[in-house]
């Protein structure tokens, strides 16, 4: 038997779906995976396409999104190395329920549907992990629906900035400094609105001294924004 490719084995081991598999089981799957490269912005598959298999991100990042009839996009998730995409249609036999594109030049491991089914038959714990991953995605989607249905654009934008500041921000005297890695159009797609409203609300937050903007760099007054999100008036 040829030596399994080390990079795919390492990638698959990072995926929550396959974390409990043994080295031999990971090698079995790695030998059947195919590395596919996608350029920045390139579509991996589109919503409604027949499902041929699933993907695990080896390098780069991908965005999972839905598109409305008028062309507006809603980003559901952005996944990086170790992230898995399209478990549900592989599992239930349906078409791809959303579209996926590469955020940057990316390498994805493709696992054919029949190989994934064979793995689930041989290792039932993988099927249980799929259910857990799908459950986590469902909870996230419910959160997105709640935000879109019950909160304002300002609140969604504030919550996004707070999350980014808490996870990626550098502490400075006035709060946490972040660099937006996306355009206002992409930010609008992530919080379910249009670019004009993102620009307007960023300007309002700046005029109220809740953020300080310098191009794509933003200093976020996290405590003040969190108070606002909790329903407390800001000073």
């Amino acid at each position: 038997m040829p030596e399994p490719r080390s990079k795919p084995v390492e990638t698959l081991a990072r995926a929550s779906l396959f974390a409990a598999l043994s080295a031999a089981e990971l090698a079995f799957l790695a030998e059947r995976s195919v590395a596919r490269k996608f350029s920045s912005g390139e579509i991996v598959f589109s919503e409604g396409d027949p499902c041929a298999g699933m993907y695990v991100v080896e390098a780069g990042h991908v965005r999972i999104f839905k598109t409305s009839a008028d062309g507006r996009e809603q980003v559901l998730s952005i996944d990086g190395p170790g992230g898995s995409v399209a478990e549900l249609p592989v599992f239930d036999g349906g078409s791809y329920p959303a579209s996926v594109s590469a955020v940057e030049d990316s390498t994805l491991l493709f696992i054919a549907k029949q190989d994934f089914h064979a793995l689930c038959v041989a290792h039932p714990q993988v099927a249980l992990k799929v259910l857990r991953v799908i459950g986590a995605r469902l909870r996230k989607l419910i959160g997105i629906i709640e935000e879109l249905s019950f909160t304002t654009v300002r609140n969604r934008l504030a919550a996004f900035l707070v999350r980014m500041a808490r996870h990626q921000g550098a502490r400075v005297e006035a709060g946490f400094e972040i660099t937006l890695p996306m355009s206002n159009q992409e930010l609008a797609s992530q919080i379910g609105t249009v670019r004009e409203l993102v620009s307007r609300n960023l300007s309002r937050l700046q005029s109220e001294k809740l953020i300080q903007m310098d191009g794509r760099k933003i200093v976020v007054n996290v405590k003040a924004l969190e108070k606002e999100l909790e329903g407390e008036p800001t000073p």
Side-chain angles (χ1 to χ4, degrees), residues 114-132:
Q114 58 270 26
D115 289 330
F116 186 76
H117 287 171
L119 180 70
C120 288
V121 169
H123 307 285
Q125 73 271 22
V126 174
L128 293 176
K129 282 180 170 288
V130 171
L131 291 177
R132 283 197 288 272

Side-chain angles (χ1 to χ4, degrees), residues 3 10 15 18-19 35 41 43 83 94 98 116 118 123 133 185 200 226:
E3 192 71 22
E10 294 167 5
F18 309 127
I43 295 293
F116 186 76
H123 307 285
V133 170
Q185 179 62 58
R200 190 181 308 163
E226 286 180 333

Side-chain angles (χ1 to χ4, degrees), residues 40-117:
S40 176
E42 186 176 356
I43 295 293
V44 178
F45 56 77
S46 297
E47 177 180 350
D49 287 350
C51 175
M54 65 170 291
Y55 293 84
V56 176
V57 182
E58 182 169 274
H61 289 79
V62 297
R63 64 199 294 269
I64 306 170
F65 63 97
K66 299 276 288 185
T67 307
S68 67
D70 63 1
R72 277 181 53 187
E73 293 181 357
Q74 172 64 55
V75 176
L76 305 179
S77 180
I78 293 180
D79 290 344
S84 55
V85 181
E87 311 90 348
L88 177 60
V90 165
F91 206 56
D92 73 3
S95 58
Y96 291 119
S99 301
V100 172
S101 66
V103 175
E104 58 201 343
D105 291 350
S106 302
T107 302
L108 278 59
L109 298 182
F110 173 76
I111 301 169
K113 185 163 56 176
Q114 58 270 26
D115 289 330
F116 186 76
H117 287 171

Side-chain angles (χ1 to χ4, degrees), residues 19 34 41 60 71 93 109 128 154 160 164 171 189 197 199-201 207:
V34 178
L109 298 182
L128 293 176
R154 178 188 173 103
F160 178 90
M164 191 170 178
R171 186 180 288 276
S189 297
L197 287 180
S199 300
R200 190 181 308 163
N201 278 278
S207 68

